[in-house]
C-alpha cells in the first residue's frame, strides 16, 4: 500500500478533528498541486513502484477541482505508480461533490470512494461542524452509484454530543437503505486541543 500525500485542505475544520489541515473557502492553492507534482517528478524515477493500493486522504481531497486531481493522477501514471491498482480510493465530503465531479473521478480510475458522512441527523452534523446536511450525504452516495462507483464506503460516528441510541440507530438504518458496499463505524474520540475537547 502507498498513501498519496495527505491533502491538508478543508472548507472548515470539524470540531472533533485534530489532523493538520488548512480550512478556508479559498480551497487548495494551485501552488500546492504544482509542488506535489514536482515532488513526484523528482523522486518517482528513483523509486519504481507498483503499488496495489492508492489512497487519497485528507483533509478533504474532494475539495480539489477534478482538473487538479487529474494532474496528480497523470503524474502517478507517468511513472508507473498507477498500474491498474486493485484499489484506487479517494475520501470525499458529501458537500464537495456533484454528479459531473464524481463521473470525472471515476473516469480518472478511482474505483472506491469513502464519504465522511459522520451522521444522518442535521443537529448532530451542526454540533460537530460538518459542512453538509443529511440529505446531501444520502444524495452523494446515490450520485456516486450513478457515476459508476461500485465500491462506496460511508464513515459514521457514534457517541456524538447529545446523540441518543435511537438517533444512532436511525443513522445506521438510513445509511443502509442506500446499500453502500461498506459502512465504517467509529466511536467519537475527544482529542486534546479540539473545540469538542474543550
Amino acid at each position: 500500500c502507498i498513501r498519496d500525500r495527505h491533502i491538508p485542505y478543508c472548507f472548515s475544520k470539524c470540531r472533533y478533528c485534530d489532523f493538520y489541515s488548512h480550512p478556508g473557502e479559498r480551497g487548495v492553492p494551485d501552488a500546492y498541486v504544482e509542488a506535489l507534482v514536482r515532488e513526484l517528478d523528482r523522486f518517482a524515477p528513483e523509486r519504481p513502484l507498483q503499488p496495489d493500493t492508492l489512497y487519497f486522504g485528507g483533509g478533504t481531497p474532494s475539495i480539489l477541482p477534478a482538473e487538479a486531481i487529474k494532474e496528480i493522477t497523470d503524474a502517478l501514471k507517468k511513472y508507473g505508480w498507477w498500474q491498474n491498482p486493485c484499489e484506487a480510493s479517494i475520501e470525499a465530503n458529501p458537500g464537495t461533490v456533484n454528479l459531473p465531479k464524481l463521473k470525472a473521478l471515476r473516469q480518472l480510475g478511482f474505483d472506491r470512494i469513502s464519504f465522511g458522512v459522520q451522521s444522518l441527523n442535521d443537529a448532530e452534523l451542526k454540533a460537530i461542524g460538518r459542512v453538509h446536511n443529511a440529505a446531501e450525504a444520502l444524495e452523494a452516495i446515490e450520485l456516486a452509484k450513478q457515476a459508476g462507483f461500485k465500491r462506496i464506503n460511508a464513515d459514521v460516528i457514534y457517541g456524538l454530543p447529545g446523540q441518543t441510541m435511537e438517533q444512532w440507530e436511525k443513522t445506521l438504518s438510513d445509511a443502509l437503505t442506500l446499500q453502500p458496499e461498506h459502512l465504517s463505524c467509529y466511536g467519537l474520540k475527544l482529542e486534546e486541543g479540539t473545540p469538542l475537547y474543550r
Side-chain angles (χ1 to χ4, degrees):
C1 171
I2 183 164
R3 184 181 178 93
D4 191 33
R5 289 282 186 225
H6 161 89
I7 307 295
Y9 294 91
C10 299
F11 279 124
S12 65
K13 190 94 164 170
C14 297
R15 300 188 72 230
Y16 57 82
C17 180
D18 73 332
F19 289 114
Y20 176 79
S21 67
H22 292 275
E25 293 184 7
R26 67 188 175 98
V28 182
D30 291 339
Y32 175 80
V33 176
E34 292 164 7
L36 186 55
V37 171
R38 274 198 315 273
E39 186 176 349
L40 281 164
D41 286 338
R42 181 176 172 192
F43 292 107
E46 302 168 6
R47 298 178 181 151
L49 299 174
Q50 293 184 353
D52 293 326
T53 303
L54 291 167
Y55 193 93
F56 281 50
T60 308
S62 58
I63 197 174
L64 282 163
E67 301 78 25
I69 297 172
K70 184 178 186 305
E71 286 183 54
I72 299 168
T73 59
D74 283 351
L76 291 166
K77 291 170 186 176
K78 174 181 173 183
Y79 294 109
W81 284 21
W82 187 307
Q83 294 195 359
N84 299 315
C86 65
E87 180 175 280
S89 187
I90 188 165
E91 291 180 353
N93 183 310
T96 63
V97 294
N98 55 29
L99 186 56
K101 186 167 195 173
L102 289 165
K103 284 182 175 179
L105 293 173
R106 186 67 193 94
Q107 190 170 31
L108 288 174
F110 289 98
D111 60 356
R112 181 179 179 274
I113 190 163
S114 181
F115 287 110
V117 172
Q118 316 316 9
S119 172
L120 289 172
N121 177 295
D122 286 343
E124 291 171 2
L125 289 168
K126 186 174 181 181
I128 59 176
R130 298 296 286 172
V131 298
H132 67 275
N133 60 36
E136 289 171 324
L138 292 169
E139 181 185 31
I141 293 170
E142 188 56 47
L143 291 175
K145 289 181 179 181
Q146 291 178 33
F149 281 95
K150 302 278 190 281
R151 306 181 74 197
I152 301 170
N153 175 67
D155 290 344
V156 289
I157 301 175
Y158 58 87
L160 296 174
Q163 186 181 60
T164 65
M165 181 58 76
E166 290 74 22
Q167 288 168 325
W168 169 239
E169 288 174 348
K170 184 167 185 344
T171 282
L172 291 177
S173 175
D174 289 350
L176 290 172
T177 60
L178 291 181
Q179 300 180 326
E181 185 213 26
H182 193 265
L183 196 61
S184 299
C185 303
Y186 301 94
L188 177 66
K189 185 176 178 187
L190 296 177
E191 301 288 355
E192 195 170 347
T194 63
L196 277 187
Y197 182 90
R198 290 194 293 273

